[in-house]
Amino acid sequence: MASSEDALPTYGLYIDGGEVPSASGAHFPTDDPYTNQPWARIARGNADDVNRAVAAAQRAFESGPWPRMTATQRGQLLRKLGDLLALHAPRLGEIERRDNGKLAIEVTPQIRYLADYVHYYAGLADKVQSEVIPSDKQGVFAYTKHEAKGVVAIITPWNSPLALTTWKLAPALAAGCTVVVKPSEYTSASMVEFAKLFAEAGFPSGVVNVVTGFGQEVGEPLVTHPQVAHVGFTGGEGSGRKIYELAARDFKTVTLELGGKSPNIVFDDADLDQAVKGVIAGIFAASGQTCIAGSRLLVQAGIHDAFVQRLVEFMSTARMGDPALPDTQIAPIATRPQFEKILSYIEIAKGEGAHCALGGKPWLAPSGGLFVEPTIFTGVHNRMRIAQEEVFGPVLAVIPFVDVEDAIAIANDVPYGLAAGVWTRDLRRVMVMTDRLKAGTVWVNNYRSTSFTSPFGGYKRSGVGRESGTEAIREYLHTKCVWISSDLEVANPFGRR
Ligand code: NAD
């Protein structure tokens, strides 16, 4: 019997240059967080689909036009892809907004910006230099070559689906790899649509494949597939650890971009008007559902009360509502499990004795959307769970500090090290803080800046490896050292050369 879900738009897998049904024929619904209703059906892939996709990617890596292309030709294809991405950004942004509920004013510019990202790697493709190695031996010539690793698995979360995929995909393709993407089960549709642009840009079939579905059913077979050479993952710490363990069995290389508990540190000499905006953007943009969320505000004791007061005033008028509308400021929470997790952390914070200075409650919109009020906790000390664990929601934990040493001690005393913000006009403070903060990104008098030009990644449990910038392409390349001898005679085989 046909169900109402059968009438929804349906997305298949994308394998070997075309959209195909899953091997099982099964689907699952994907919801619009603002209405809490399914808006599309997604193909439910399994290990058979992973096998098909990896076989297509391996074929494309070894035979056909892709391995014969020069790096410059790969760059030309990426350039066309970037142009198409810019053209289709409004349509792809609309799909992502429906799938994860993000504000339209954030998501479409984010996708349009990805075109620049792809253009950057289009340009970088033929600028990976090898080295002639100065040798300490007579009669040999040694040099390095950089070779594409092979088939890359890309596994991504729901908060910025196409952005976090492109961060991996563009350098992987520039390097000459082929890829199989597994998007989040909550936000798969935009990736299937994006995959179709690769054919239009002229990429050979099989270079980019997409298998939609769940972590255990698709993600694990993909990570453990013997022909996958590298895993590029963004997501939570638990899944990251599992993927690291699975990849280690076959000594696969990985890039892991995981969670954070980033401090936003405001000194008493800061330009407080700017710092207020930076702290608000740090924690409340995307309703706090970002890995770089500045979820701990460290504020110098002398300005603590006045600064918190300004934050509360700013946020008490924040507009929650339809993410499609340009004046909405707080979007719905993307998934029900995430909504429940955020509320549970609010209860944990209250139970630990933190004071709820703002928000602290859910808001169930008439549309059906699940919202959490922008929430600020004061009276937090760094040993509380609300100060140590990633909430991934609009919840700010405020912790006072005394001086530079105290700020550094508190800032570094978490298992994560993704990012940190520092607000001060004092050059010495800037230098000491940027030296001693254990984080992959430190922003001074700004927060949330990222660019395709700048390496991004974590210390400690926030991840392994770097994305963006020139460093990222190295994640997808092996370095080979070649030795050529000009000696007429091979030396005594039993002596040391
Ligand atoms: P998640 O870890 O639950 O899922 C991420 C992806 O991994 C999904 O595609 C999921 O299906 C897949 N997956 C889950 N278990 C798997 C397994 N055992 N094997 C293979 N694949 C598996 O994360 P999420 O809830 O989608 O996203 C939120 C998390 O992502 C947060 O912790 C956040 O900090 C992190 N994140 C990090 C960054 C960064 O760049 N550091 C950026 C965005 C999000």
Side-chain angles (χ1 to χ4, degrees):
M1 205 176 68
S3 76
S4 58
E5 277 181 15
D6 293 343
L8 298 175
T10 298
Y11 290 89
L13 313 177
Y14 191 89
I15 297 178
D16 213 7
E19 195 170 349
V20 292
S22 63
S24 69
H27 293 92
F28 59 95
T30 188
D31 293 347
D32 177 340
Y34 184 55
T35 61
N36 228 336
Q37 294 295 320
W39 73 273
R41 298 190 317 156
I42 305 296
R44 182 168 183 160
N46 62 23
D48 292 336
D49 300 305
V50 169
N51 290 340
R52 274 195 296 164
V54 176
Q58 184 68 25
R59 257 193 322 276
F61 183 70
E62 286 176 347
S63 58
W66 184 248
R68 292 202 299 273
M69 281 184 192
T70 63
T72 307
Q73 288 169 327
R74 290 199 302 273
Q76 284 160 351
L77 293 187
L78 281 166
R79 182 149 284 283
K80 281 189 208 151
L81 180 74
D83 294 343
L84 287 170
L85 197 47
L87 199 64
H88 290 270
R91 184 172 64 86
L92 295 169
E94 171 70 14
I95 295 173
E96 291 215 335
R97 180 190 58 72
R98 278 199 100 174
D99 240 358
N100 70 4
K102 221 167 170 167
L103 297 182
I105 53 165
E106 177 173 7
V107 71
T108 302
Q110 183 183 49
I111 293 177
R112 196 173 292 118
Y113 183 58
L114 290 179
D116 294 348
Y117 208 102
V118 175
H119 287 154
Y120 175 84
Y121 285 100
L124 190 62
D126 60 6
K127 290 165 194 69
V128 178
Q129 303 271 2
S130 296
E131 274 183 310
V132 173
I133 309 292
S135 179
D136 65 335
K137 303 182 195 317
Q138 291 297 325
V140 290
F141 175 66
Y143 66 96
T144 58
K145 278 165 67 72
H146 300 290
E147 296 181 347
K149 284 184 177 174
V151 178
V152 171
I154 295 177
I155 302 179
T156 46
W158 43 260
N159 60 331
S160 292
L162 284 189
L164 297 169
T165 306
T166 305
W167 287 23
K168 299 158 186 50
L169 211 139
L173 297 179
C177 294
T178 57
V179 305
V180 178
V181 182
K182 191 212 94 60
S184 166
E185 54 273 33
Y186 292 106
T187 52
S188 303
S190 61
M191 186 59 221
V192 179
E193 287 297 327
F194 182 29
K196 295 174 191 166
L197 301 184
F198 286 84
E200 207 179 324
F203 281 84
S205 297
V207 171
V208 174
N209 307 275
V210 182
V211 183
T212 52
F214 294 85
Q216 287 186 353
E217 294 172 9
V218 176
E220 291 193 16
L222 185 56
V223 172
T224 52
H225 194 291
Q227 284 178 320
V228 165
H230 179 91
V231 182
F233 171 76
T234 299
E237 184 189 331
S239 329
R241 182 175 290 108
K242 177 79 187 173
I243 287 169
Y244 207 4
E245 285 168 3
L246 292 174
R249 288 183 195 169
D250 281 326
F251 301 98
K252 292 175 184 176
T253 53
V254 295
T255 318
L256 303 174
E257 300 291 354
L258 309 176
K261 195 74 196 176
S262 300
N264 217 341
I265 306 164
V266 181
F267 284 93
D268 55 9
D269 69 316
D271 178 337
L272 297 183
D273 292 338
Q274 306 313 314
V276 165
K277 286 190 272 177
V279 169
I280 300 280
I283 183 60
F284 296 119
S287 299
Q289 300 168 113
T290 63
C291 55
I292 53 177
S295 51
R296 286 185 301 153
L297 165 63
L298 274 52
V299 59
Q300 201 155 11
I303 58 166
H304 175 279
D305 293 356
F307 194 76
V308 169
Q309 183 59 31
R310 292 185 66 170
L311 295 178
V312 168
E313 275 165 19
F314 197 112
M315 286 312 294
S316 45
T317 57
R319 275 181 300 279
M320 294 187 273
D322 184 349
L325 300 178
D327 60 351
T328 302
Q329 294 168 318
I330 301 291
I333 301 306
T335 74
R336 180 171 283 279
Q338 189 59 32
F339 173 72
E340 285 163 4
K341 180 180 164 193
I342 297 167
L343 294 181
S344 79
Y345 269 105
I346 288 175
E347 290 313 309
I348 288 168
K350 289 178 181 167
E352 287 176 315
H355 167 68
C356 189
L358 181 74
K361 293 191 294 300
W363 179 59
L364 305 181
S367 62
L370 308 174
F371 289 74
V372 175
E373 292 177 353
T375 297
I376 299 177
F377 279 107
T378 54
V380 176
H381 64 74
N382 209 43
R383 297 264 46 89
M384 290 180 177
R385 287 182 65 191
I386 196 66
Q388 290 287 317
E389 298 173 21
E390 185 183 51
V391 176
F392 218 60
V395 181
L396 180 66
V398 185
I399 306 170
F401 69 87
V402 178
D403 55 17
V404 166
E405 288 303 319
D406 195 29
I408 291 168
I410 298 169
N412 288 337
D413 182 21
V414 283
Y416 300 103
L418 192 59
V422 179
W423 299 84
T424 179
R425 287 187 263 219
D426 181 308
L427 185 58
R428 189 189 150 271
R429 281 175 172 166
V430 170
M431 301 209 33
V432 174
M433 297 302 287
T434 52
D435 273 358
R436 291 182 52 200
L437 284 168
K438 297 198 186 316
T441 298
V442 179
W443 292 294
V444 179
N445 296 330
N446 69 112
Y447 202 88
R448 298 186 75 84
S449 309
T450 56
S451 164
F452 44 85
T453 58
S454 311
F456 178 84
Y459 283 31
K460 300 190 270 185
R461 290 193 199 171
S462 290
V464 175
R466 289 293 176 271
E467 301 199 304
S468 304
T470 55
E471 281 188 45
I473 199 166
R474 299 280 178 185
E475 303 273 339
Y476 302 97
L477 292 165
H478 285 305
T479 300
K480 179 183 275 178
C481 190
V482 180
W483 293 69
I484 301 175
S485 171
S486 61
D487 280 356
L488 293 174
E489 291 266 340
V490 173
N492 176 357
F494 302 106
R496 185 175 182 279
R497 171 123 173 98

